[in-house]
């Protein structure tokens, strides 16, 4: 058909392309800013901790009513029990202004800059505040890539496959996935909120 507009879509499902896109957005986006550390680890050194970038990919399920308008938080930790808490993931979103996060079947990308953990991320705790007209949320998975200057890059996939809802099993607003080799059931040695 003459004069018809054609559109080309780029398939960005490749992890390498997603990481490249994420890296470009982190470098060029000023909205991310620097993470605010509310609680610092107790150390004898006066130097500030190294800063890392955490690429967080969250896949909402495609089951009916899987999306949410609730506030979703995420805590992540390493083998040593060092922890970073992100009370509202949406504030770190890279999908653009006014984007509707956590919609049914959607993959959302977040870029968080903050202090480096001592090791790779091996545990997460997702939380929902249960607010809004669509309060239940089904999360398929969370994938976290972390990197920083002079720090080994790490990547970890967490299969959540669970509702965070009061009206769907398991009837709770949290989901924890702990892949750490050591037991991290005790309180972490320190916590950082960003």
């Amino acid at each position: 058909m003459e004069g018809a507009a054609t559109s080309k879509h780029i398939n960005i499902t490749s992890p390498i392309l997603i990481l490249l896109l994420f890296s470009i957005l982190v470098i060029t986006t000023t909205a991310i800013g620097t993470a605010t550390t509310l609680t610092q680890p107790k150390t004898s050194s006066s130097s500030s901790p190294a800063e890392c970038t955490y690429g967080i990919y969250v896949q909402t399920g495609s089951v009916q009513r899987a999306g949410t308008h609730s506030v979703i938080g995420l805590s992540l930790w390493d083998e040593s029990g060092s922890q970073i808490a992100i009370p509202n993931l949406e504030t770190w979103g890279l999908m653009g202004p006014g984007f509707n996060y956590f919609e049914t079947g959607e993959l959302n990308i977040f870029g968080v800059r903050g202090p480096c953990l001592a090791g790779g991320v091996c545990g997460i705790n997702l939380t929902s505040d249960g607010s809004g007209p669509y309060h239940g949320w089904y999360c398929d998975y969370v994938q976290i890539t972390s990197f920083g200057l002079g720090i080994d890059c790490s990547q970890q996939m967490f299969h959540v496959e669970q509702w965070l809802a009061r009206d769907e099993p398991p009837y709770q607003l949290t989901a924890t996935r702990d892949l750490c080799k050591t037991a991290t059931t005790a309180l972490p040695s320190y916590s950082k909120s960003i």
Side-chain angles (χ1 to χ4, degrees):
M1 185 187 315
E2 265 187 43
T6 59
S7 66
K8 294 182 180 179
H9 298 280
I10 298 172
N11 183 358
I12 61 166
T13 57
S14 164
I16 293 172
L17 288 176
I18 291 174
L19 184 57
L20 178 62
L21 174 64
F22 171 72
S23 298
I24 291 168
L25 288 171
V26 168
I27 291 168
T28 60
T29 305
T30 58
I32 293 176
T34 303
T36 303
T37 303
L38 301 177
T39 306
Q40 297 264 347
K42 295 177 183 170
T43 62
S44 58
S45 171
S46 62
S47 65
S48 62
E51 187 172 270
C52 282
T53 300
Y54 299 90
I56 302 169
Y57 308 88
V58 178
Q59 177 68 52
T60 297
S62 56
V63 298
Q64 187 176 8
R65 300 181 306 117
T68 189
H69 291 172
S70 297
V71 175
I72 303 298
L74 175 70
S75 294
L76 39 109
W77 60 86
D78 64 10
E79 295 265 347
S80 73
S82 299
Q83 183 176 7
I84 294 176
I86 307 159
N88 184 354
L89 264 177
E90 193 169 325
T91 60
W92 298 91
L94 298 177
M95 307 304 281
F99 187 81
N100 220 357
Y101 289 91
F102 309 114
E103 294 296 311
T104 302
E106 295 287 323
L107 174 67
N108 298 144
I109 305 172
F110 305 91
V112 177
R113 286 180 26 193
C116 294
L117 293 173
V121 175
C122 61
I124 63 166
N125 183 46
L126 276 171
T127 59
S128 169
D129 71 352
S131 66
Y134 303 102
H135 58 276
W137 180 50
Y138 188 89
C139 179
D140 274 341
Y141 68 83
V142 175
Q143 181 176 334
I144 301 173
T145 302
S146 59
F147 55 92
L149 192 58
I151 306 294
D152 287 339
C153 181
S154 70
Q155 186 174 36
Q156 185 64 58
M157 172 74 81
F158 297 93
H159 296 279
V160 179
E161 299 171 356
Q162 176 185 320
W163 281 99
L164 277 72
R166 291 186 184 107
D167 58 353
E168 295 283 348
Y171 307 107
Q172 57 191 22
L173 296 175
T174 64
T176 301
R177 299 297 180 264
D178 192 343
L179 305 176
C180 302
K181 294 176 187 166
T182 59
T184 54
T185 53
L187 290 175
S189 58
Y190 67 88
S191 169
K192 303 170 192 167
S193 290
I194 50 178

